C-alpha cells in the first residue's frame, strides 16, 4: 500500500516527521540504517551530556572544601561511567521505539535510496531489498564528522566525536583540533576528568557564534581551569611515535609543534548525502546540504529535507521542529509557517546559551540598538550555589525597546534561555518585561535584572 510519507533517517528530525504524520492520521514508514535516535541520541547531544554531568560532579568535588565539606579521596570508574552513559541511551532509544509503535509508524532497518519521487528502495540490513511506494519523501539523514585535509589525520588511533565517547582511559593529554561547540564541550569534559587539554582553532576565535563579550570572559575562565586555547593556528600534520602524537601547524609567527598522548578531530560536520541517489534525482544541494525552500521542500515537489542534512542549523531541536512542520504541511495544515527563534546551548563551564541576535549582528545589520549586562555575581541564588561566574547580556532595539537578543553565560544557562526565547519570539519590549515578577532567590532574577538594566530600571545595578 502506498504510504503518505517515507522518512529516510531515524534521528530527531526523521522520527518527529514520521510520528507527527501518523498523529495527523497519515501512514508513515521510517528507514534507519543504524540506531534509532541518530547522532543526537547515540553519539551527540545525549552521551556528551551524560559525560558533562560527570564533569560537573568532579568540578564540584574539586571545590568541595569551599562548602565546608571534607572528602577523603575519590577516583574515576570508567566502566561505570560507560555503563551509565549506555543505560541512558538505551532507555531513550527504547522510548523512541515505543512512541513509533504507539503511533503505528512502520520501521525498517536498512539503507534508503530514492528511486523516483514516489519510490524508495530499502536495502535491509539482512540483505533483502524492498521498494516502498509513497506520496512524499522526507530526507532526514543528518550529518557526519567533516574530514580535514591534514596529513596523517586518517590514523585510526586519532579520536573523532564518536570514538572518544567510548573512551576506556583518561588521556594524560588531549589535543583537540577545532574550537567549535563539539571541540569545546569535549575540552571541558576531559579537563575536569584530569587530562591536560589543548585546543587548536583555525579561526581567530573559538565558539564563533557567541557574543564577543561572553567569549572574552569565557576564555579567561577556561585558562584558569587549565585549558590551553590557541586560535588562528592551522594544523598541517599529525604524526605518531611510540610514545605520543606530534602535531605540526603554523600561526602568524611560523611553525608550531605540539605533543599529546591523544588527539581529537572535532572540526565541523558535513551533510550525509551518500547513497541517497540525490544527484541522479536532480535534487539541488551544495556543500552545506540539500537546498530547501521555506517549507523545507527540495526543488522536486513532494521531496523534503529536514534537520542537519539541509544545513540550516545543526541542532537537534531545530531538526525536530522542521520534521513536525513538514508533516503538518503534508497532512494539510496550511497555517502560516512561523520561523521561531532557535535557542542554542553550549555545555562548557559555565554553560553558554543564546537566542536572537548578538551585538555584532545588530551592528552589521545597521540596527540602532542598546545593550545591558548583569552579572551572576550580583545574584543571591548564584552566590548560594557557589556559581557566581558569568553574566547575561541583552540587545534591544533603541528605537522601539524590543528585546532582540539574549546571551547567557552562567550556571543553568541552557535552562534560563527559554524565557529569553519567549521574549524574543513575542517581540516583547524591555518595559513590558520589567513588569513581570521573578521569584526570589532564583537565577531567573539575573535575566530580569539584565533586562531592567537596559532602561536603567534595575535597583541592583
Ligand atoms: P541525525 O541525528 O544525524 O540522524 C540521521 C540518521 O539518519 C542517522 O541515524 C543515520 O544512521 C541515518 N541515515 C543516514 N543515511 C541513511 C540512509 N541512506 N538510510 C537510512 N538511514 C540513514 N545538538 C543539540 O541540539 N544539542 C546538543 O547538545 C548537541 N550536542 C552534540 C554533540 C555532538 C558530539 C555532536 C556530534 C552533535 C551534537 N548536536 C547537538 C547536534 C545534533 O546531534 C544534530 O543536530 C542532530 O542529531 C541532527 O538530527 P537529524 O535527525 O537531522 O540527523
Amino acid at each position: 500500500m502506498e504510504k503518505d510519507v517515507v522518512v529516510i533517517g531515524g534521528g530527531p528530525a526523521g522520527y518527529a516527521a514520521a510520528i507527527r504524520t501518523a498523529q495527523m492520521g497519515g501512514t508513515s514508514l521510517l528507514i534507519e540504517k543504524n540506531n534509532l535516535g541518530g547522532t543526537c541520541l547515540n553519539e551527540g547531544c545525549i552521551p556528551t551530556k551524560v559525560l558533562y554531568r560527570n564533569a560537573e560532579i568532579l568540578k564540584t568535588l574539586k571545590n568541595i572544601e569551599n562548602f565546608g565539606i571534607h572528602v577523603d579521596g575519590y577516583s574515576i570508574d570508567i566502566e561505570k561511567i560507560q555503563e551509565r552513559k549506555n543505560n541512558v541511551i538505551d532507555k531513550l532509544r527504547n522510548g523512541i521505539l515505543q512512541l513509533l509503535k504507539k503511533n503505528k509508524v512502520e520501521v525498517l532497518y536498512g539503507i534508503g535510496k530514492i528511486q523516483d519521487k514516489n519510490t524508495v528502495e530499502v536495502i535491509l540490513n539482512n540483505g533483502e531489498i524492498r521498494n516502498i511506494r509513497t506520496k512524499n519523501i522526507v530526507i532526514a539523514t543528518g550529518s557526519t564528522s567533516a574530514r580535514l585535509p591534514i596529513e596523517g589525520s586518517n590514523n585510526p588511533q586519532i579520536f573523532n566525536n564518536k570514538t572518544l565517547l567510548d573512551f576506556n582511559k583518561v588521556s594524560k593529554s588531549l589535543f583537540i583540533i577545532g574550537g567549535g561547540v563539539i571541540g569545546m564541550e569535549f575540552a571541558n569534559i576531559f579537563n575536569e576528568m584530569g587530562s591536560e587539554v589543548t585546543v587548536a582553532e583555525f579561526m581567530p576565535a573559538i565558539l564563533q557564534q557567541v557574543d564577543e563579550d561572553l567569549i572574552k570572559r569565557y576564555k579567561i575562565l577556561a585558562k584558569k581551569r587549565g585549558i590551553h586555547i590557541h586560535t588562528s593556528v592551522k594544523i598541517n600534520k599529525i604524526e605518531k611515535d611510540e610514545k605520543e602524537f606530534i602535531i605540526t601547524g603554523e600561526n602568524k609567527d611560523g611553525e608550531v609543534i605540539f605533543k599529546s598522548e591523544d588527539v581529537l578531530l572535532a572540526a565541523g560536520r558535513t551533510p550525509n548525502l551518500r547513497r541517497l541517489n540525490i544527484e541522479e534525482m536532480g535534487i539541488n544541494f551544495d556543500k552545506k546540504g540539500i537546498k530547501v525552500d521555506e517549507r523545507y521542500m527540495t526543488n522536486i515537489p513532494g521531496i523534503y529535507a529536514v534537520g542537519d542534512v539541509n544545513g540550516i542549523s545543526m541542532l537537534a531541536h531545530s531538526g525536530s521542529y522542521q520534521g513536525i512542520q513538514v508533516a503538518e504541511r503534508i497532512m494539510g495544515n496550511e497555517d502560516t509557517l512561523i520561523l521561531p527563534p532557535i535557542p542554542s546551548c553550549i555545555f562548557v563551564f559555565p554553560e553558554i546559551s543564546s537566542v536572537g541576535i548578538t551585538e555584532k549582528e545588530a551592528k552589521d545589520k545597521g540596527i540602532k540598538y542598546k545593550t545591558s549586562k548583569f552579572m551572576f555575581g550580583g545574584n543571591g541564588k548564584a552566590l548560594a550555589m557557589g556559581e557566581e561566574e558569568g553574566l547575561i547580556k541583552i540587545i534591544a532595539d533603541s528605537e522601539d525597546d524590543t528585546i532582540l537578543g539574549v546571551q547567557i553565560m552562567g550556571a543553568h544557562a541552557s535552562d534560563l534561555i527559554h524565557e529569553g526565547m519567549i521574549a524574543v519570539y513575542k517581540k516583547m519590549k524591555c518595559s513590558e518585561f520589567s513588569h513581570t515578577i521573578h521569584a526570589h532567590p532564583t537565577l531567573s532574577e539575573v535575566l530580569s535584572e539584565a533586562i531592567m538594566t537596559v532602561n536603567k530600571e534595575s535597583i541592583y545595578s
Side-chain angles (χ1 to χ4, degrees):
M1 201 184 74
E2 190 181 55
K3 299 283 177 191
D4 287 308
V5 177
V6 165
V7 182
I8 310 176
Y15 71 74
I19 291 176
R20 179 51 59 91
T21 302
Q23 283 175 336
M24 294 186 74
T27 51
S28 57
L29 181 143
L30 180 68
I31 305 164
E32 170 54 55
K33 65 177 174 159
N34 293 323
N35 287 312
L36 287 174
T39 306
C40 171
L41 175 54
N42 300 291
E43 54 198 73
C45 325
I46 299 299
T48 50
K49 265 80 263 181
V50 174
L51 298 180
Y52 180 81
R53 178 69 182 137
N54 277 87
E56 209 170 32
I57 293 169
L58 285 167
K59 183 172 157 284
T60 305
L61 279 170
K62 277 179 206 159
N63 299 307
I64 201 92
E65 299 279 328
N66 296 341
F67 294 86
I69 300 169
H70 305 291
V71 174
D72 276 342
Y74 56 89
S75 59
I76 292 175
D77 178 346
I78 296 175
E79 247 177 65
K80 182 75 197 160
I81 291 176
Q82 289 295 349
E83 188 188 311
R84 194 178 87 86
K85 183 198 77 184
N86 295 334
N87 284 343
V88 172
I89 295 173
D90 286 349
K91 204 169 179 176
L92 290 169
R93 195 188 294 136
N94 192 40
I96 297 170
L97 190 62
Q98 295 313 320
L99 282 174
L100 291 164
K101 269 193 191 151
K102 187 179 115 186
N103 286 288
K104 301 192 172 44
V105 176
E106 198 180 329
V107 180
L108 291 180
Y109 290 94
I111 293 169
K113 180 176 165 192
I114 304 171
Q115 295 289 41
D116 62 51
K117 79 188 259 309
N118 296 107
T119 316
V120 178
E121 179 192 84
V122 191
I123 306 166
L124 294 173
N125 288 348
N126 65 8
E128 198 188 310
I129 295 182
R130 286 192 30 199
N131 282 308
I132 315 287
R133 296 285 298 163
T134 180
K135 292 185 189 130
N136 300 279
I137 296 170
V138 177
I139 304 171
T141 49
S143 62
T144 48
S145 308
R147 282 171 196 272
L148 293 174
I150 299 174
E151 193 185 325
S153 63
N154 55 359
N155 182 337
Q157 288 173 297
I158 296 174
F159 286 118
N160 59 35
N161 67 270
K162 189 175 170 193
T163 52
L164 187 55
L165 287 171
D166 293 329
F167 69 102
N168 56 18
K169 67 167 173 52
V170 175
S171 320
K172 273 196 213 70
S173 49
L174 178 65
F175 188 86
I176 300 179
I177 301 176
V181 176
I182 295 173
M184 291 313 300
E185 289 195 355
F186 275 112
N188 279 262
I189 291 168
F190 281 90
N191 171 252
E192 292 302 333
M193 294 246 194
S195 300
E196 177 87 28
V197 174
T198 305
V199 178
E201 168 57 48
F202 175 70
M203 301 299 283
I206 54 161
L207 301 172
Q208 297 263 349
Q209 71 276 42
V210 178
D211 190 280
E212 283 166 17
D213 273 342
L214 269 68
I215 282 300
K216 255 188 234 152
R217 278 163 216 260
Y218 171 73
K219 275 182 80 173
I220 296 167
L221 296 174
K223 193 172 173 192
K224 241 169 73 182
R225 293 209 165 87
I227 301 176
H228 312 285
I229 298 174
H230 301 266
T231 50
S232 300
V233 51
K234 180 170 177 269
I235 302 300
N236 296 321
K237 191 158 63 166
I238 309 171
E239 295 163 289
K240 171 119 210 254
D241 63 21
E242 46 311 331
K243 227 170 76 209
E244 57 194 356
F245 284 98
I246 299 135
I247 304 111
T248 313
E250 62 187 87
N251 62 17
K252 64 175 181 15
D253 301 318
E255 189 176 77
V256 279
I257 294 178
F258 305 93
K259 292 185 174 181
S260 180
E261 184 183 338
D262 279 305
V263 175
L264 166 68
L265 288 181
R269 306 277 300 168
T270 180
N272 204 350
L273 306 175
R274 286 189 326 121
R275 304 183 72 175
L276 281 169
N277 215 23
I278 58 166
E279 267 177 87
E280 296 77 352
M281 283 293 302
I283 297 173
N284 289 341
F285 68 96
D286 60 20
K287 66 176 183 348
K288 278 189 171 166
I290 296 178
K291 293 190 172 185
V292 291
D293 65 13
E294 69 290 350
R295 294 179 305 160
Y296 309 106
M297 189 151 82
T298 66
N299 56 312
I300 312 266
I303 303 186
Y304 300 81
V306 293
D308 279 14
V309 77
N310 68 24
I312 293 176
S313 68
M314 291 197 161
L315 291 167
H317 42 285
S318 165
S320 299
Y321 180 81
Q322 294 173 20
I324 291 167
Q325 289 296 305
V326 160
E328 295 260 343
R329 245 131 294 281
I330 289 174
M331 293 310 296
N333 181 357
E334 286 295 334
D335 283 357
T336 20
L337 196 73
I338 304 160
L339 279 178
I342 304 166
S344 74
C345 304
I346 306 172
F347 293 82
V348 290
F349 294 114
E351 290 180 11
I352 297 175
S353 61
S354 65
V355 69
I357 59 171
T358 60
E359 183 171 358
K360 183 173 180 304
E361 282 168 319
K363 245 183 227 158
D364 292 348
K365 288 181 178 163
I367 296 170
K368 292 199 174 111
Y369 67 92
K370 48 190 178 179
T371 66
S372 71
K373 285 176 207 150
F374 196 87
M375 311 304 281
F376 275 68
N379 174 268
K381 175 87 182 279
L383 290 174
M385 290 166 67
E387 295 283 357
E388 55 264 45
E389 289 170 347
L391 74 154
I392 297 188
K393 178 171 172 179
I394 307 297
I395 293 98
D397 191 308
S398 57
E399 289 179 339
D400 67 9
D401 203 32
T402 307
I403 300 165
L404 301 174
V406 177
Q407 323 287 324
I408 307 180
M409 180 172 81
H412 298 282
S414 60
D415 297 308
L416 294 175
I417 194 64
H418 298 99
E419 198 183 356
M421 188 268 293
I422 301 284
V424 173
Y425 180 37
K426 289 291 167 194
K427 300 188 170 51
M428 280 180 89
K429 297 186 188 312
C430 299
S431 53
E432 274 179 289
F433 197 96
S434 299
H435 286 284
T436 60
I437 299 176
H438 288 68
H440 177 73
T442 60
L443 297 176
S444 302
E445 289 172 295
V446 186
L447 181 64
S448 94
E449 293 304 326
I451 293 179
M452 283 196 270
T453 303
V454 174
N455 292 329
K456 305 198 171 30
E457 289 169 339
S458 165
I459 57 165
Y460 297 104
S461 62

